Amino acid sequence: MIGVSVFKGVGIGKAFNYEIESIIIPKEMIGEKEIESTLDQLNIAIGNQKTSLEAHMKHVEETIGASESQIFSAHIEILNDPELTSRIRKNIVGQKMNLVAAIDEAKNFYVGMLSALEDLYIRERARDIEDVMEGLLKNILGLSDNPLDTIREDTILFAKDLSPSETIHLNDWVKGIVLSEGSITSHSAIVAKAKGIPTIVGYKESHVLGGTPVILDTITTQLLINPTEIELEHYREKVKEEALHQKCLKQLVNEKAITKDQRSIELFGNVGSAEEALSIVEHGGFGVGLLRTELVYMNSKDWPTEDEQYKTYESIAKNVNGEVIIRTLDIGGDKTLPYFTFPKEENPFLGLRAIRFCLKNKDIFKTQLRAILRLSASYPVKIMFPMIGSLEELIEARKCLDEAKKSLKVDNQAYNEDIPVGIMIEIPSAVFAIDLLSDHVDFVSIGTNDLCQYTLAVDRLNPEVAYLYDAFNISIIRMIDHVVRGCKPKGVKVGICGEMASDVEAAKILVGLGVDELSVSPSMIPYVKEVIISSNYEDLKVHAQRIIKR
């Protein structure tokens, strides 16, 4: 295994090593008389960059898809961010920095802040800021924004990372991408998937010389260097087979995830934005199984208001054809906010985070609950509390929800009185208290990422111990089985919203255990749907029990 597969397929071509063009930042200070003209230059540069991004967005919408085009809508919003532009202006006015240096400092500040977080999804948003700001710098300095457009032969592209802008302009000669950094949740990965380019991230093997013939197999995560003619012929056939497979997957878009013996599974997507919600529909999903609301807070310069939250949640809900499960604020741990000082903790992942933070800050919590409740008047919304560890926490959270409902009644605001309420099962204590917790909820969703980390005592992002992180560990499988058995007799539905659900082999086990819903990365919906449709539920039950009893 050479890395993590982003888009499964086979690419054949010559190695092309791409190194990001360095931008030389001038350090000269400006004089008092130059401040006004420098601010004017900033406004012009931002306007030009917006025009460029709008052209990107239109091109992507016409050639790839509406959901992918929204990546560049998000990039335009970054340019419109008053906090970011304010920092640049302060650098110019207060620090007398030249325009390029002022932008570079602001870029480094925000990229550094987000990159320090452990949450992979949020770290990838730092790459978006970097992409936008570097595009702005290149615009000002007159540098080429697309050095990869010279590729004119079948190519496997090797790079440290790619920006969304670079990825979107890759031509049809690029048959595969190998990145040493990046992740499956990055916007570059989303674009690569949409373009159908076999892609691997996390490649740590030896350097491949440019021009060397290679075969990239992202299905089995193999890289063949200087392949033989026999190997080339074999993989050329695989390329044809995979092209046919992709056509078959597209035909499943409107099909529901129902096994051969009629066991129906709700297949949803994990999202943090309106663009990803669109992607769920395009890939054949029927709802949002996890809406990460912390991104609304992290992208704001202050605590988002009730109306701001309502508008954001609505922009997501209107893009899907089914229910939307909204996870309440999961902040703390590695997820910090620029406008709030968290207490210093020896181990923040075991400290004041998620529901614990909300119950300590009930005004903030109730503002969010009111926004979600208002949305429930028009959309099939569910509320999900994260990191519940005890019955007492759940009861207190539900009390806050009742108080939010009462306040809306006083304000004559409509909401769904019977809005379904659920919890995340991601702490071992919640697994073994499921008989108590299930009496107070309509559904549960197992967050396998944190459940694995807390159960196995493994930081999956720490390369020294990451090999110990294993969602297939028998203890994790048995925990999921325990939760299902505790919920089924009471009619409480069980879902999975961790990365485990995106693995087709894991999906077989999960369905066999009796899980009702799988929420996965939107791009993985067709693959998971395919394995469900082609399976018999009774066979999967036998398979799952064989694993549990081994």
Side-chain angles (χ1 to χ4, degrees):
M1 182 172 175
I2 58 166
V4 179
S5 177
V6 168
F7 182 81
K8 296 181 185 298
V10 174
I12 303 171
K14 292 182 179 179
F16 181 100
N17 290 296
Y18 170 62
E19 293 184 7
I20 298 173
E21 184 180 2
S22 296
I23 299 176
I24 299 173
I25 307 299
K27 301 299 182 184
E28 294 85 2
M29 310 298 284
I30 61 173
E32 191 73 34
K33 293 181 180 179
E34 298 174 279
I35 290 176
E36 188 173 344
S37 63
T38 303
L39 292 173
D40 288 340
Q41 291 172 28
L42 172 64
N43 292 333
I44 292 170
I46 289 176
N48 290 340
Q49 187 65 6
K50 285 182 184 177
T51 300
S52 176
L53 289 171
E54 286 166 357
H56 283 341
M57 187 164 67
K58 184 178 180 181
H59 170 72
V60 173
E61 185 171 6
E62 292 173 349
T63 59
I64 299 179
S67 63
E68 288 77 20
S69 74
Q70 291 304 301
I71 291 171
F72 294 97
S73 176
H75 282 196
I76 292 171
E77 287 304 309
I78 291 173
L79 283 175
N80 289 332
D81 186 341
E83 189 174 351
L84 180 60
T85 54
S86 174
R87 188 174 184 91
I88 297 172
R89 294 177 195 281
K90 285 179 181 178
N91 286 340
I92 293 169
V93 176
Q95 303 298 321
K96 303 293 191 301
M97 291 184 185
N98 67 68
L99 180 57
V100 172
I103 293 170
D104 188 62
E105 189 282 333
K107 178 200 75 173
N108 292 337
F109 176 80
Y110 288 107
V111 169
M113 181 176 67
L114 292 178
S115 297
L117 304 179
E118 184 171 337
D119 188 288
L120 194 57
Y121 185 92
I122 296 170
R123 284 214 318 268
E124 289 299 344
R125 303 294 76 83
R127 188 68 179 98
D128 291 324
I129 295 176
E130 189 172 36
D131 187 18
V132 172
M133 291 295 98
E134 288 187 355
L136 184 59
L137 291 172
K138 289 177 180 179
N139 180 298
I140 294 167
L141 296 170
L143 300 175
S144 168
D145 199 34
N146 185 27
L148 296 167
D149 60 5
T150 58
I151 294 174
R152 289 294 181 273
E153 63 179 341
D154 287 352
T155 296
I156 304 299
L157 179 61
F158 289 77
K160 181 178 180 182
D161 199 1
L162 291 175
S163 71
S165 300
E166 289 167 332
T167 311
I168 205 64
H169 282 104
L170 294 177
N171 59 37
D172 292 341
W173 292 107
V174 177
K175 303 301 182 182
I177 301 172
V178 180
L179 302 178
S180 59
E181 295 186 358
S183 79
I184 59 174
T185 61
S186 72
H187 277 156
S188 297
I190 291 169
V191 173
K193 292 172 195 169
K195 288 172 74 73
I197 304 174
T199 302
I200 287 280
V201 297
Y203 176 76
K204 304 299 182 185
E205 304 299 315
S206 58
H207 177 75
V208 180
L209 291 175
T212 304
V214 293
I215 296 173
L216 175 64
D217 181 352
T218 63
I219 301 170
T220 59
T221 60
Q222 293 185 81
L223 184 70
L224 282 71
I225 302 170
N226 287 314
T228 65
E229 189 56 42
I230 293 175
E231 289 172 326
L232 282 168
E233 188 58 36
H234 170 71
Y235 276 96
R236 287 184 188 120
E237 286 301 315
K238 289 192 73 171
V239 169
K240 293 177 184 177
E241 291 171 7
E242 187 56 29
L244 182 61
H245 184 212
Q246 290 302 316
K247 287 182 180 179
C248 293
L249 288 178
K250 287 180 180 178
Q251 293 174 0
L252 298 178
V253 168
N254 297 317
E255 298 290 326
K256 292 190 175 181
I258 302 175
T259 63
K260 289 180 177 179
D261 47 355
Q262 301 304 300
R263 163 71 168 159
S264 180
I265 302 297
E266 293 178 320
L267 191 51
F268 296 157
N270 301 330
V271 304
S273 65
E275 76 206 44
E276 291 177 313
L278 274 174
S279 186
I280 290 175
V281 177
E282 290 178 0
H283 285 94
F286 294 95
V288 175
L290 172 64
L291 171 51
R292 304 178 180 95
T293 62
E294 60 269 21
L295 298 180
V296 179
Y297 292 78
M298 299 185 78
N299 292 331
S300 179
K301 63 179 180 179
D302 203 347
W303 295 108
T305 66
E306 179 182 321
D307 284 342
E308 288 171 339
Q309 292 187 62
Y310 176 87
K311 289 176 183 176
T312 301
Y313 304 151
E314 183 185 38
S315 71
I316 293 168
K318 70 183 181 182
N319 281 346
V320 294
N321 299 324
E323 68 183 53
V324 179
I325 299 177
I326 303 180
R327 181 176 69 186
T328 57
L329 181 58
D330 186 3
I331 205 71
D334 63 325
K335 303 171 191 173
T336 60
L337 300 171
Y339 48 84
F340 181 81
T341 303
F342 286 85
K344 183 173 176 58
E345 298 176 299
E346 289 297 322
N347 193 335
F349 291 96
L350 301 179
L352 189 64
R353 58 169 295 202
I355 197 65
R356 300 169 182 175
F357 174 88
C358 289
L359 295 179
K360 288 272 188 179
N361 298 273
K362 290 183 179 177
D363 287 344
I364 294 169
F365 190 30
K366 290 176 186 176
T367 296
Q368 181 180 41
L369 292 174
R370 280 175 57 97
I372 299 171
L373 284 167
R374 284 172 52 195
L375 190 68
S376 72
S378 305
Y379 298 92
V381 169
K382 296 181 179 181
I383 290 178
M384 181 163 67
F385 301 129
M387 206 178 170
I388 291 291
S390 68
L391 179 59
E392 290 74 20
E393 282 180 330
L394 175 55
I395 290 172
E396 191 175 354
R398 293 211 63 142
K399 183 179 177 182
C400 290
L401 180 61
D402 290 339
E403 291 170 359
K405 288 180 178 179
K406 289 177 183 177
S407 69
L408 287 174
K409 279 184 182 176
V410 171
D411 294 341
N412 262 341
Q413 291 271 19
Y415 66 91
N416 176 12
E417 177 67 45
D418 299 317
I419 184 171
V421 177
I423 58 173
M424 292 276 289
I425 302 292
E426 46 197 339
I427 303 176
S429 63
V431 172
F432 298 110
I434 195 63
D435 59 323
L436 303 175
L437 297 171
S438 56
D439 288 333
H440 300 269
V441 294
D442 301 295
F443 67 96
V444 302
S445 187
I446 302 173
T448 54
N449 297 358
D450 273 343
L451 183 61
C452 285
Q453 292 195 111
Y454 288 131
T455 302
L456 305 177
V458 174
D459 177 0
R460 65 194 175 106
L461 297 179
N462 181 341
E464 298 298 325
V465 296
Y467 69 95
L468 294 171
Y469 179 90
D470 178 18
F472 288 86
N473 185 290
I474 188 63
S475 62
I476 303 300
I477 304 296
R478 287 176 175 172
M479 280 180 153
I480 295 170
D481 180 60
H482 183 78
V483 171
V484 172
R485 291 178 183 276
C487 290
K488 285 293 179 181
K490 300 175 183 180
V492 175
K493 287 192 172 183
V494 179
I496 305 285
C497 62
E499 289 177 13
M500 183 180 185
S502 294
D503 186 298
V504 292
E505 292 304 316
K508 294 178 184 178
I509 299 171
L510 296 171
V511 172
L513 291 174
V515 166
D516 303 288
E517 174 242 304
L518 300 175
S519 189
V520 306
S521 301
S523 64
M524 289 304 298
I525 289 172
Y527 295 94
V528 175
K529 185 185 290 188
E530 180 185 42
V531 78
I532 292 171
I533 289 174
S534 61
S535 300
N536 277 300
Y537 177 51
E538 292 301 322
D539 291 341
L540 296 181
K541 284 168 64 176
V542 172
H543 174 57
Q545 289 305 310
R546 187 181 299 121
I547 291 173
I548 286 175
K549 294 173 181 177
R550 69 183 179 191

